[in-house]
Amino acid sequence: MTLRPLPKQNDINRLNKAVAELYHDICVQLGISDSVFDIFYAIAALGDGCCQRDICDYAFTSKQTIHSAIHKLEKEGFLRFKSGKGREMLIFLTPSGEQFMAEKIAPVIAMENTVLSQIPPEEIDQLIELTEKCLNSLRFQYSQTFGTAKKNNHKNNRKD
């Protein structure tokens, strides 16, 4: 007999996939790739002057994917670089990038803010707390099952 996921795990998986699919559909509607959306969304969250590593950590996206998309956006005139500490390059929006942010990303953030404003704050806190608890438990089980631990240095896992 094949081991099957518990019904509640199926519900969690289905909802996680549905959220991911919705954001992908938003990207398709906006005419942009998921990685471009992730970069601009991260800049909106982190602020102008963040570095590539910060965007990778925020978006849970590989360095290679973000690197190539950022350089493409620079060539298209949406981003510019400025030297930071050591070899670090800070990323800034150009005027075209600011316009892109206002037209494509800001409406999505406004939509999300509207949704959150319609849910009682204590329920949002509970959702965050339980999701984080489930994620941390899953990470622990992952390390126990496969004998490896995934780095948990992402800034997204903190409560704001």
Side-chain angles (χ1 to χ4, degrees):
M1 177 170 176
T2 303
L3 185 62
R4 297 185 190 281
L6 293 172
K8 295 295 182 190
Q9 185 63 51
N10 277 332
D11 292 342
I12 291 168
N13 292 344
R14 183 181 53 78
L15 289 169
N16 284 333
K17 300 257 188 227
V19 169
E21 179 182 41
L22 176 60
Y23 277 93
H24 174 73
D25 290 347
I26 289 169
C27 292
V28 169
Q29 182 69 36
L30 294 172
I32 60 175
S33 69
D34 292 15
S35 57
V36 166
F37 178 85
D38 288 344
I39 290 165
F40 276 92
Y41 195 99
I43 292 170
L46 300 169
D48 242 0
C50 60
C51 64
Q52 180 177 315
R53 180 187 67 254
D54 296 333
I55 293 171
C56 293
D57 286 349
Y58 186 88
F60 289 88
T61 305
S62 76
K63 199 165 41 169
Q64 296 83 0
T65 299
I66 296 297
H67 180 77
S68 62
I70 283 173
H71 284 283
K72 183 173 186 256
L73 290 167
E74 179 196 25
K75 287 178 185 169
E76 293 172 352
F78 292 109
L79 302 176
R80 65 179 174 79
F81 297 106
K82 184 178 176 185
S83 294
K85 297 176 189 171
R87 294 180 40 197
E88 186 176 69
M89 295 301 286
L90 305 178
I91 300 165
F92 292 87
L93 297 174
T94 64
S96 295
E98 290 173 3
Q99 182 179 347
F100 183 93
M101 179 79 79
E103 292 174 2
K104 307 273 185 182
I105 308 304
V108 177
I109 294 172
M111 177 184 74
E112 293 170 332
N113 290 346
T114 298
V115 169
L116 286 183
S117 73
Q118 296 170 348
I119 300 171
E122 60 275 3
E123 289 183 20
I124 297 297
D125 291 343
Q126 187 177 28
L127 174 63
I128 292 167
E129 183 180 327
L130 293 174
T131 303
E132 191 166 11
K133 183 178 181 179
C134 186
L135 175 61
N136 289 337
S137 293
L138 194 55
R139 282 182 172 146
F140 177 77
Q141 288 300 316
Y142 167 69
S143 70
Q144 294 299 300
T145 302
F146 296 102
T148 182
K150 176 139 173 86
K151 281 194 305 185
N152 187 8
N153 64 352
H154 295 289
K155 296 174 185 169
N156 296 39
N157 291 339
R158 70 172 192 267
K159 292 182 184 173
D160 290 82

